[in-house]
Amino acid sequence: MKAITLNSFGGPDAFELRDVPRPAPGAGQVLVRVHATSINPLDYQVRRGDYRDHVPLPAITGHDVSGVVEEVGAGVTAFVPGDEVWYTPRIFDGPGSYAEYHVADESIVGKKPASLSHLEAASLTLVGGTAWEALAVRAQLRAGESILIHGGAGGVGHVAIQVAKAIGARVFTTARSEQFEFVRGLGADVVIDYRNEDHVEVVMRETAGEGVDVIFDTIGGDTLSRAPDVLAQLGRVVTIVDTAQPQNLVQAWGKNASYHFVFTRQNRGKLDELGALVERGQLRPHVGATYSLADIPLAHARLESRDSGLRGKIAIAVVPPAHADARQPRA
Amino acid sequence: MKAITLNSFGGPDAFELRDVPRPAPGAGQVLVRVHATSINPLDYQVRRGDYRDHVPLPAITGHDVSGVVEEVGAGVTAFVPGDEVWYTPRIFDGPGSYAEYHVADESIVGKKPASLSHLEAASLTLVGGTAWEALAVRAQLRAGESILIHGGAGGVGHVAIQVAKAIGARVFTTARSEQFEFVRGLGADVVIDYRNEDHVEVVMRETAGEGVDVIFDTIGGDTLSRAPDVLAQLGRVVTIVDTAQPQNLVQAWGKNASYHFVFTRQNRGKLDELGALVERGQLRPHVGATYSLADIPLAHARLESRDSGLRGKIAIAVVPPAHADARQPRA
């Protein structure tokens, strides 16, 4: 089968399109024909070597699968060949999704929502699981609360806006002015042009000095340092980004704040929750661009460039959608 | 009435015993004859000026009351004169408890558990409320989990051990060797001599490399920096101490950790929860020393000295216990 392999840590040219043996499912596993995958910041962090101790080379990387079950191993009960499925492969534990076939334990695999194309489904597994874990599980965002989402036009951010609205929260988000229409369309109530406005001033004015109940940080650095300035008493901060910059937390103490650090974890339960939101029409991933398996290096370069024209996710059509998938992504 | 007033920020000699007017209860308030109060680290932090912007001078400070309702204001429904009550006065909002009488909104006042002396009850309101908030409300410690309590022989720590055991957790605590018998008697399962042992090594050995589910930090500084080294995946850290030392949180991220910062808040609900534990025999504050109202400066100096002979709390007998209170503290 074709696969994109990572042969050394470095830039996008560290990837190579190769023929490799097709894997076979063991007991409790499914073999999936990968129709689509997608690109996340985690993907280029892995590629450049941020997690080199956890990634033996050469490696097939990639963290999203949408596809069709081709074959099942002994003892598999939840799936049969032909089932459409979606999932995030185990992180740092076996091959990833940049390949024509992938093997996974059935316990981490979910049934793909029928209303999503493979490109859309593959654009949602990792970012959707992360947003759900951050907002619903860790911060326990509730109806009637307010949330500030840093980076609402991004891969995780654009899903987080929709999840927060589905929960019933009032959503503040930072974005660039050219992304305003996009994030408003997703349901954001107050949009802050972070390049020309101070987000602390805007939030404190709009909340009559109370601050927000929850902050979801997909950006990092100063956004985390300034969190206590914009947080209500007993507020919660959830961050999914590297927090190596030392933080003075004395203001967090005065606010009785909670900080939740979320590194990716995956399970079928989260996929089912996301699927239910999709089927109720409350969540739809936005595919901002589509590349082929061979063009994954270009897709990486595009995401890393922080292209302000990009909305939502970059999807990878492993099976060209004209053949496998009648639905077209909303580009 | 007699009261201890703070006339300037500084050492214990900044206090003065004075005659001041007895306060009168307004609508919804109760006037309480204070039988006992107690000393907490918060008390000397306030005295030395750590919160000077919140404490206009001269001030009556103090954060624990156990006493008897003397008079009720208009509209008070929960109390009548003669009721034994306990509570923490509002922090940074009106006079504190170092006085013969105190006025409080009935909403923050609780019925004192009958089985506690006034000295014991006054030793529990602030530290008990803090331990309950930290373990039960914020960290949501559950039966079968493990917890590391830094400083188990202290005012908050010795209550936290008992609360954690009542919840059904396995308790690790740090203490000095001369405090071992005391903390074991409170229920601690594993006691760590932090001056001669590395707490990370002990906990990781005793948990087979898993780490603890919850850390409760009453010490601060390095204990917070090292928290991720001793924390299980999805573990929670609760700290009640000043966190001004900058923290690198990248390890917390890898652990999917939550950090809860707890600054004192008070309400009647927490007092009722504590009272229930007391009545079930699962919680009893330890009064390690007792001073008179006039000797509050000495009591402050003793607590600040970190006297390793001290166990639990220092109580203040505002009404001498021989007259008001037949029970003797367990000194």
Side-chain angles (χ1 to χ4, degrees), chain A residues 52-63:
Chain A
R52 61 183 65 223
D53 294 344
H54 303 281
V55 183
L57 296 182
I60 296 172
T61 63
H63 301 97

Side-chain angles (χ1 to χ4, degrees), chain B residues 104-318:
Chain B
D105 294 345
E106 67 165 331
S107 62
I108 67 165
V109 174
K111 306 252 185 198
K112 178 179 86 64
S115 63
L116 295 185
S117 70
H118 283 297
L119 289 169
E120 289 173 313
S123 295
L124 190 55
T125 64
L126 183 68
V127 296
T130 301
W132 183 262
E133 174 95 5
L135 272 52
V137 180
R138 302 291 298 283
Q140 297 180 24
L141 180 67
R142 293 182 293 269
E145 290 193 317
S146 55
I147 181 171
L148 167 63
I149 297 171
H150 284 291
V156 172
H158 90 289
V159 172
I161 290 173
Q162 298 175 72
V163 169
K165 291 308 293 181
I167 287 171
R170 183 182 186 208
V171 175
F172 296 74
T173 192
T174 60
R176 300 183 188 198
S177 51
E178 58 268 34
Q179 299 165 329
F180 272 33
E181 191 183 337
F182 175 60
V183 295
R184 283 205 181 105
L186 298 170
D189 298 289
V190 179
V191 185
I192 303 162
D193 177 3
Y194 69 92
R195 287 178 304 183
N196 295 305
E197 296 179 290
D198 179 52
H199 73 270
V200 175
E201 270 177 39
V202 176
V203 170
M204 295 315 273
R205 185 178 68 228
E206 291 282 334
T207 60
E210 287 288 309
V212 288
D213 300 301
V214 173
I215 296 172
F216 183 35
D217 189 1
T218 76
I219 304 293
D222 283 350
T223 51
L224 191 61
S225 313
R226 300 191 71 194
D229 297 336
V230 74
L231 203 60
Q233 269 289 330
L234 286 169
R236 295 91 77 196
V237 176
V238 200
T239 177
I240 58 165
V241 285
D242 188 329
T243 49
Q245 176 177 315
Q247 300 286 328
N248 180 331
L249 298 164
V250 72
Q251 299 301 329
W253 185 49
K255 283 287 176 81
N256 280 296
S258 293
Y259 280 48
H260 300 284
F261 303 96
V262 175
F263 191 75
T264 305
R265 297 184 313 131
Q266 67 280 70
N267 62 57
R268 188 196 288 169
K270 278 191 289 195
L271 292 172
D272 292 345
E273 300 274 9
L274 293 169
L277 290 185
V278 168
E279 298 305 2
R280 286 202 297 269
Q282 296 181 298
L283 173 61
R284 190 157 203 106
H286 182 87
V287 179
T290 304
Y291 292 78
S292 69
L293 182 66
D295 283 341
I296 279 180
L298 296 177
H300 267 239
R302 175 95 181 267
L303 188 64
E304 268 184 298
S305 73
R306 294 177 158 267
D307 172 5
S308 74
L310 189 63
R311 310 275 179 274
K313 291 292 306 272
I314 297 178
I316 305 296
V318 180

